[in-house]
Amino acid sequence: MNDVPPVEDLGNGVWSLPVPIPHSPLGATLVYLVEGDRGPVLVDTGWNHDDSWDGLVQGVKQTGHAVEDIRGAVLTHFHPDHSGLTARLRASSDAWIAMHPADIAVTEQLAATGARERADSVAEQFRAAGFPDEDVDAFLADPHVIDPSALPDLALDDGAAVDLPGRDLRTLWTPGHTPGHLCLRLADADMLFTGDHVLPGITPHVGHFPLDTPAGDPLGDFLTSQRTVGALPGADRLLCLPSHERRFTGLPDRTATIVAHHEERLDAMTALLDEGPATLWELTSRLRWKRPWQDMRLLARHMAAAETAAHLRTLEERGRAARHGTDDRPRWVAVTGQASHT
């Protein structure tokens, strides 16, 4: 099991429960327990693994509660390190499970397709992006496709009050990282659960695949959501509780830094497109990443391509790039005469 930080009492009836993610550099998902008059509610559940479940059960026990006492769980989004333990939690308690409708729709779509079908879909995305045949073959030989979590019971729209008697916990829809990502504000404690939307040290992943569905602008949504969160009343005094890394303050400065990072990325991509048309693979492989492209694992390359695709979609929306070529092998070109967005 990865080394994980200890359970912490954050005051105001809020606890941090680090739930391990085995064999992941992230180490753990920071699940939070919020106490109420009629039982506690969890923010997220953690990865679906025996070690993760044991970590959650023992963490809840250290708060003076038992898993059987959990009133419900709000999932910030559908990703498996946040939603994976929903079925086990439901089987061990009468807890309701809630998520934003947009991520419920994604979960339903994933549940309706088999693992092989999902793997073939990803392989087609690779081909359309221009990935070499050896990368596509390597993926199909060992596809990284994760089963979706159990479907939630409840849908929580933007601004909804969470069923937590005695507390004022409300949702804030922050699409981008996923279509239905939620942050949650605990108004009676000046705390904001930021999920993966705002992290203190790393920039959350925002991807856009497949390429044959150009509708939507996840990065544009993400940047709007960052600005919205950073401008919340009293944002500068909120204690931010993310799902990874560490809690932090200074929310307006952090959201501004994240927005600036993506704007610089958009400008860098425009500069590369000025050199000539490029497929998604060609553009992604020429960008600067934390690790050199040639040293990146295939899964990391896939995530990098999805992130590049999201930036291209925003450039299209802003009139700074255009898609040419065929649907099965599109290329992008720069549109001259357009100023960068600020």
Side-chain angles (χ1 to χ4, degrees):
M1 185 188 299
N2 298 321
D3 291 334
V4 297
V7 171
E8 290 186 81
D9 181 355
L10 305 183
N12 293 298
V14 179
W15 296 75
S16 172
L17 315 179
V19 174
I21 311 173
H23 316 299
S24 168
L26 286 174
T29 301
L30 298 176
V31 172
Y32 296 96
L33 181 146
V34 186
E35 295 177 331
D37 292 344
R38 301 180 190 173
V41 162
L42 297 180
V43 178
D44 289 331
T45 60
W47 187 266
N48 186 18
H49 189 279
D50 288 345
D51 290 345
S52 307
W53 175 246
D54 290 344
L56 179 63
V57 170
Q58 293 304 313
V60 171
K61 186 176 181 180
Q62 289 185 54
T63 71
H65 301 280
V67 166
E68 295 78 11
D69 302 330
I70 299 300
R71 180 179 184 84
V74 181
L75 307 179
T76 59
H77 58 298
F78 75 89
H79 287 166
D81 54 325
H82 299 258
S83 64
L85 289 174
T86 54
R88 297 200 200 200
L89 177 64
R90 182 181 286 150
S92 300
S93 68
D94 293 326
W96 46 259
I97 309 296
M99 189 189 286
H100 187 274
D103 271 15
I104 291 178
V106 174
T107 305
E108 290 174 338
Q109 182 180 10
L110 291 172
T113 59
R116 183 72 263 171
E117 184 178 351
R118 295 198 299 275
D120 289 342
S121 175
V122 173
E124 286 304 312
Q125 294 170 28
F126 278 151
R127 293 189 182 97
F131 272 65
D133 289 341
E134 55 266 28
D135 281 1
V136 180
D137 293 341
F139 171 78
L140 289 173
D142 183 24
H144 297 278
V145 179
I146 299 170
D147 289 334
S149 69
L151 287 172
D153 311 291
L154 302 173
L156 290 178
D157 287 302
D158 184 34
V162 175
D163 179 15
L164 183 58
R167 308 302 301 267
D168 186 4
L169 181 63
R170 294 181 181 272
T171 62
L172 177 63
W173 182 35
T174 50
H177 182 63
T178 68
H181 190 286
L182 290 173
C183 292
L184 296 136
R185 183 165 187 174
L186 186 60
D188 55 79
D190 271 342
M191 292 179 175
L192 182 72
F193 303 93
T194 63
D196 281 358
H197 183 60
V198 189
L199 301 173
I202 59 178
T203 304
H205 173 76
V206 180
H208 182 58
F209 255 153
L211 294 176
D212 59 357
T213 55
D217 181 12
L219 179 62
D221 293 341
F222 178 77
L223 296 177
T224 298
S225 298
Q226 288 290 326
R227 295 184 177 100
T228 298
V229 169
L232 286 172
D236 55 345
R237 68 171 184 270
L238 289 174
L239 176 62
C240 297
L241 305 177
S243 295
H244 304 289
E245 298 188 301
R246 63 190 182 278
R247 55 189 177 272
F248 64 98
T249 56
L251 180 61
D253 287 343
R254 181 57 187 153
T255 57
T257 297
I258 292 173
V259 169
H261 164 78
H262 285 287
E263 293 296 344
E264 290 169 4
R265 196 71 163 174
L266 290 165
D267 289 342
M269 288 175 58
T270 303
L272 287 175
L273 290 176
D274 281 336
E275 299 174 7
T279 65
L280 179 60
W281 186 90
E282 290 166 342
L283 186 59
T284 307
S285 63
R286 291 161 60 195
L287 286 167
R288 180 177 296 178
W289 301 96
K290 184 177 181 181
R291 177 173 294 182
W293 178 257
Q294 62 270 18
D295 297 337
M296 290 169 64
R297 295 178 296 121
L298 183 58
L299 179 60
R301 288 186 178 190
H302 180 207
M303 293 183 68
E307 186 163 313
T308 303
H311 284 73
L312 283 169
R313 186 72 191 101
T314 297
L315 289 175
E316 289 175 330
E317 284 289 298
R318 295 182 180 180
R320 298 177 62 189
R323 185 184 310 211
H324 288 188
T326 61
D327 289 342
D328 61 349
R329 187 58 61 86
R331 291 178 179 272
W332 281 264
V333 297
V335 176
T336 59
Q338 296 293 327
S340 63
H341 181 84
T342 57

